[in-house]
Amino acid sequence: MAGDNSSERIKYFVDGPFFVIRLCDPGSLNALNGNDYLYLAELLEKSERNSDVYFTVLQSSGRFFSSGADFQSISKAQETKTSEPELNKWLAYFVSRNVYVTDMFARHSKILICCMNGPAIGLSAALCALCDIVYSMNDKVYLLFPFSSIGLVTEGATSVTLPMKLGSSWTFESLLFSSPIRFDKLDGTIVAKNYEMDNVEKFNDAVLEELKSKIKPLYLPTLPDIKKLLRERYSQELSRANSVEVNDAIKYWVRGIPQRSFKQLSQKQRKHKL
C-alpha cells in the first residue's frame, strides 16, 4: 500500500530484481510537487524493504525526464495563511522535505539506475546525479540547475555530486550561471551509455532488457556490498552537503525570493530557461 503521499504522477512495478518507478505526467513535463518528491522517497524505502530487489530503476515519459518543481504548488504554499513565523513554515515545507528526499537517494542501498529520456531540471536533476548509473535515450538530454536564477543555492547534494562527476570548472560554470549541462559534457561523466533512440517506451524497455541480460552471470547479493564500498569515501560528504545546502537556502525562502521567482514563472512574467 502506498503512503499518504501517493501520486497519480508516479507509478511503480516490480519485475524480478528490478523495482521500477515511472514518472507518468508528460503533459506537465513530469513536474513534481512536494508530495510527489516525498512519494518518490517512500517508493525508494519500499524498494529497500523488498529483499528480492537489487535495482531501483527510475523511468519517465514524454519529452522531459522531469521539469523540476511544480510552480503552482509553490505558489499555493506561499499563499497559505498560517499563524507561525515564515521560518517555521519553510522549515516544514522546504527543509525537512529536501533533507529527507535527498538522504533517501544518497543512502539507498540498491543499485540506483536513471533512464533519462529527456532533460531534468532542479531537484529532479540533482536526484539523477545521485543515481549510480544514468542511461540517456539520445543526445538531446541535458541537466539544468537554475538555482541562481530563482534565488536559491545548490540542493540535492549537487555541491558534491557535480564536482565529483563533472569536475570543478564545468560545475562552477553550470551552477553559477544556471547554464544547461549538455550531453557532450554528460557523456562519460554522468551518463554511462547513450541508447540513441527517439521512442521513450522502447527506450525504457530496452534498458530493462539489457539489464536483465547483464545480470544473468552475476551473484546479485554482492552488488549492494560493492556499491557500499564504492560510495564509502564520499557518503559522509553527501550527508554533510545535504544539511549545509538546506541551511544555507532557508534564508532565501524566509525572505520570499524563490517564491517570487516561481510565481513569475507560473504567470509567465519571466522566461524559464527550459
Side-chain angles (χ1 to χ4, degrees), residues 21-147:
I21 302 170
R22 180 173 295 178
L23 308 184
C24 50
D25 188 16
S28 74
L29 303 181
N30 296 298
L32 301 174
N33 61 37
N35 283 345
D36 296 327
Y37 282 116
L38 288 174
Y39 187 48
L40 268 182
E42 287 180 15
L43 290 179
L44 259 63
E45 177 63 23
K46 192 176 185 72
S47 173
E48 196 76 58
R49 294 195 306 266
N50 190 329
S51 60
D52 296 323
V53 164
Y54 291 91
F55 297 86
T56 302
V57 182
L58 303 180
Q59 298 180 344
S60 194
S61 56
R63 297 188 297 116
F64 271 60
F65 179 82
S66 172
S67 58
D70 181 345
F71 303 154
Q72 300 296 336
S73 68
I74 295 173
S75 296
K76 185 177 179 180
Q78 172 69 1
E79 293 165 2
T80 300
K81 301 301 180 184
T82 175
S83 59
E84 293 187 338
E86 283 293 291
L87 176 61
N88 297 27
K89 175 180 176 178
W90 294 105
L91 281 171
Y93 182 81
F94 167 73
V95 172
S96 60
R97 184 200 69 203
N98 273 37
V99 167
Y100 174 66
V101 174
T102 300
D103 187 62
M104 290 300 291
F105 271 78
R107 297 197 299 119
H108 192 57
S109 70
K110 309 300 172 79
I111 311 305
L112 261 172
I113 294 179
C114 177
C115 304
M116 270 188 74
N117 58 302
I121 315 296
L123 180 58
S124 297
L127 299 182
C128 292
L130 280 166
C131 289
D132 304 309
I133 303 172
V134 178
Y135 297 123
S136 69
M137 186 169 80
N138 51 45
D139 61 5
K140 298 181 180 68
V141 306
Y142 63 83
L143 298 178
L144 176 62
F145 303 93
F147 306 132

Side-chain angles (χ1 to χ4, degrees), residues 26 43-44 48 73 81 91 124 131 149 154 158 163 167 204 213 227 243 247 261 268-270:
L43 290 179
L44 259 63
E48 196 76 58
S73 68
K81 301 301 180 184
L91 281 171
S124 297
C131 289
S149 69
T154 57
T158 48
N204 288 334
S213 177
K227 171 175 175 170
S243 175
N247 283 328
S261 297
K268 298 183 179 179
Q269 295 174 357
R270 61 184 291 186

